[in-house]
Amino acid sequence: ARDLLVRVGGFDEAYQKYGFEDRDLYFLLQKKLANKDVLILPHIQVVHRDSITIDQVCDKMFEAGYYSAAIFRRKHPQIYRRMTYARFDLTLMPKRLARIGTVMLRGRQWMATWGDKVVNSPLFPFGIKAVVVKSLSALFYMAGTGKCR
């Protein structure tokens, strides 16, 4: 595996913040190897067992939207537009929608506190908690893309 990474040049060092470096490497491998040695195993899952707060998730998704998405969007515009992330990218929407990002950032602390309460409460089933995390992730990704306009 190491020789394969060396052959394609490894990870792009332009990605200095969270997000998209793994997808970028995947598409680089796919392109340079003409799909010969790239396998997609949809039944395989990665489980992160680190402890992370909703506030930290919001920070990471904001970073991905603000820094990393721009790099990936520039390198792989057609692929990016087909990804779910593009639906939440304010740089691809009319400018008047960019205000959404500013509004969300003002309510950031409240949203993160509320999200932490829901996720850590025994009262809510896993499905509700998952929706809260995905929704906040999308909102803060969107805010990051709006900030870089």
Side-chain angles (χ1 to χ4, degrees):
R2 188 182 191 308
D3 62 323
L4 188 60
L5 286 174
V6 170
R7 193 167 23 150
V8 298
F11 285 99
D12 184 341
E13 292 182 10
Y15 294 98
Q16 295 291 312
K17 301 287 185 176
Y18 173 80
F20 291 98
E21 73 286 346
D22 49 353
R23 288 170 184 83
D24 182 70
L25 180 62
Y26 167 76
F27 290 113
L28 178 66
L29 286 167
Q30 203 175 40
K31 182 179 177 183
K32 291 204 176 183
L33 300 175
N35 296 326
K36 292 177 195 163
D37 298 323
V38 180
L39 296 175
I40 297 175
L41 304 171
H43 59 285
I44 301 295
Q45 292 183 343
V46 174
V47 177
H48 294 273
R49 298 206 182 273
D50 54 340
S51 179
I52 186 168
T53 66
I54 295 298
D55 197 40
Q56 290 168 320
V57 169
C58 292
D59 283 346
K60 287 174 88 169
M61 294 311 295
F62 181 86
E63 272 186 8
Y66 187 71
Y67 297 103
S68 304
I71 299 165
F72 190 88
R73 189 173 49 243
R74 186 182 65 251
K75 289 179 73 175
H76 311 283
Q78 294 164 337
I79 293 168
Y80 183 77
R81 286 183 181 275
R82 291 192 312 263
M83 295 171 74
T84 304
Y85 289 103
R87 296 181 200 155
F88 299 98
D89 189 328
L90 291 174
T91 65
L92 303 177
M93 298 178 191
K95 285 190 177 190
R96 66 181 179 277
L97 291 178
R99 285 184 235 136
I100 293 171
T102 305
V103 171
M104 283 187 289
L105 289 174
R106 286 188 196 135
R108 180 191 192 300
Q109 193 57 52
W110 177 85
M111 285 190 277
T113 301
W114 172 81
D116 266 332
K117 286 181 182 177
V118 170
V119 169
N120 293 311
S121 171
L123 302 175
F124 296 99
F126 177 79
I128 297 292
K129 294 175 181 185
V131 167
V132 168
V133 172
K134 287 179 182 181
S135 298
L136 287 174
S137 295
L139 288 171
F140 280 89
Y141 179 82
M142 183 185 284
T145 64
K147 191 78 172 169
C148 71
R149 267 194 113 140

